[in-house]
Amino acid sequence: MMARRRGVFVSIAAAVAALVVAAVAAVAALNLQGETPLPATPQLLQATQEQVARGAYLARVGSCAGCHTARGGAAYAGGRGIETPYGKVFAGNLTPDVATGLGAWSPADFWRALHHGRSRDGRLLYPAFPYPNYTQVTREDSDALYAYLRSLPAMQQPSPAHALRFPYNTQAALAVWRALYFRPGRPPVDPARSAEWNRGAYLVHGLGHCTACHTPRNALGAERKAQALGGGMVAGQGWYAPALDMPAEAGVAQWPLQDVVALLQTGVAPQGSVTGPMAEVVFRSTQHLTDADARAMAVYLQALPQRSPAAAAAAIPAATALQPGAKVYEQHCAQCHGDQGQGEPGAFPALAGNRAVLLADTTNLLRVVLQGGYLPATAGNPRPHGMPPFRQVLGDDEVAAVLSFVRNAWGNQAPAVDTIDAYRAREARSP
């Protein structure tokens, strides 16, 4: 009897071990899917001036300096900490320093990092580096980026060690994540669409990595691809990136094309303006788009199928409940935004009918009131107006009251903002 039980136990253990081995093998195979061995002898790139110039442009389109430049540090020398829900990831040094940067990297090493998310030494890269988007970048553009980065002054600056919690700090956990959610891609091409639309799709989904912010994510931080560009929280930054496929949020299907181009290149348009993380994107990246590429992105964004918003579940506040907020508005807001929320064209945005004011998610409104709102300084709008922070001026009840008023005055209609929401926004740690 004991021998039989021992035999059953051994059989179960063997089956479990076989399953573990099979799972490990499957994860390893999925992490190597599509990869080809690197050349035995690293191939050099004889870059032309035109290739370097194109790489400089593509680096701006991809906003590479935004992550790979620490505050006050040398451009592209890395060291900036990127907050994630799992800890902090530090961006690497992209200058051609041999010891701490890309000096020992070949064009194939660089292409593998962009296309497969694997470092020169074989380590899997964390997707805070948006290789799930960059995997769609062409080899030609990868080589141009490489040529530009190799032309920069070499800066010796080691990257700090990532500060991620267990088990997210392990290569094993990252390999499982990649096996579940990452596959090497290719540039999006739709033969039924125009060349301009296809160029816009390439910029939006590839180097521009717009889905990295504007797409909701699951519990493990992977994009919900079926809801691409459908709106999501910007990881680690405490801002909501509104849906680009909803007219009530950030959809531009009904805008004149030139207004979409203006928003990308200047940060302002007759229908609205950018602030928060998007202001940095415009400042560092989209203001540098060529007219043709800005138009291509606009064409693609306008062609996105549009969704209707879900009906609001919360009740609209009664007029008497809005009176405290009306007083706060009169004292602190009307001077710029107008008695009727009409704003001042070219200076202060209108609040009446402003879809940013009416968003179901009030995260951005609370951030702007507490921390201020600032447009990017661009070539097309070099001296933008800004909104000062009211963190030290208004209490939580006043913040909630004035936002509830603004969301329900001058024809606006949206659920009230709770005092607890203002408290949580005030207490939230800024990146």
Side-chain angles (χ1 to χ4, degrees), residues 121-379:
D121 60 6
R123 288 180 302 106
L124 303 177
L125 297 172
Y126 288 99
F129 169 59
Y131 60 83
N133 295 92
Y134 291 166
T135 188
Q136 300 178 56
V137 171
T138 65
R139 178 60 189 264
E140 180 183 13
D141 281 350
S142 173
D143 285 350
L145 278 165
Y146 174 84
Y148 168 65
L149 294 172
R150 294 280 296 193
S151 74
L152 298 173
M155 305 297 299
Q156 188 172 27
Q157 180 171 301
S159 297
H162 301 316
L164 295 166
R165 300 190 303 277
F166 181 83
Y168 309 109
N169 60 347
T170 67
Q171 286 280 291
L174 182 54
V176 171
W177 184 93
R178 286 166 50 98
L180 291 171
Y181 301 117
F182 173 69
R183 298 292 181 274
R186 61 183 62 185
V189 177
D190 186 344
R193 297 280 191 168
S194 68
E196 192 171 42
W197 182 95
N198 278 286
R199 176 64 177 171
Y202 175 68
L203 293 169
V204 166
H205 290 277
L207 273 176
H209 59 284
C210 303
T211 62
C213 290
H214 289 277
T215 298
R217 295 177 179 268
N218 64 21
L220 293 178
E223 293 181 13
R224 299 183 184 274
K225 295 186 182 298
Q227 303 172 46
L229 302 176
M233 293 300 298
V234 183
Q237 299 214 22
W239 287 82
Y240 174 67
L244 298 175
D245 61 355
M246 292 179 66
E249 293 201 8
V252 293
Q254 304 304 317
W255 287 26
L257 184 67
Q258 64 269 22
D259 291 349
V260 186
V261 172
L263 189 71
L264 290 171
Q265 292 185 317
T266 69
V268 293
Q271 299 85 349
S273 55
V274 301
T275 192
M278 190 61 197
E280 183 175 1
V281 170
V282 172
F283 175 73
R284 293 186 178 276
S285 176
T286 62
Q287 72 160 316
H288 301 292
L289 288 167
T290 63
D291 291 343
D293 277 352
R295 179 183 169 89
M297 289 184 72
V299 165
Y300 176 77
L301 293 172
Q302 287 200 312
L304 291 173
Q306 299 294 292
R307 295 183 295 126
S308 299
I316 305 302
T320 54
L322 300 175
Q323 291 177 359
K327 293 180 180 179
V328 176
Y329 182 87
E330 180 181 4
Q331 181 178 359
H332 296 285
C333 313
Q335 183 176 1
C336 293
H337 293 287
D339 293 335
Q340 299 302 311
Q342 75 275 14
E344 183 178 332
F348 309 111
L351 303 180
N354 188 324
R355 61 185 182 177
V357 169
L358 300 172
L359 280 176
D361 190 312
T362 59
T363 298
N364 297 351
L365 280 178
L366 289 162
R367 292 294 295 265
V368 167
V369 170
L370 291 170
Q371 298 181 10
Y374 306 96
L375 277 67
T378 59

Side-chain angles (χ1 to χ4, degrees), residues 386-415:
M387 176 173 164
F390 284 86
R391 175 184 291 271
Q392 306 299 329
V393 178
L394 302 177
D396 294 336
D397 54 344
E398 293 173 305
V399 170
V402 72
L403 288 179
S404 297
F405 168 74
V406 167
R407 285 163 62 85
N408 289 278
W410 324 298
N412 290 347
Q413 193 172 61

Side-chain angles (χ1 to χ4, degrees), residues 396 400 417-425:
D396 294 336
V417 177
D418 293 331
T419 300
I420 189 62
D421 293 330
Y423 169 78
R424 288 169 178 163

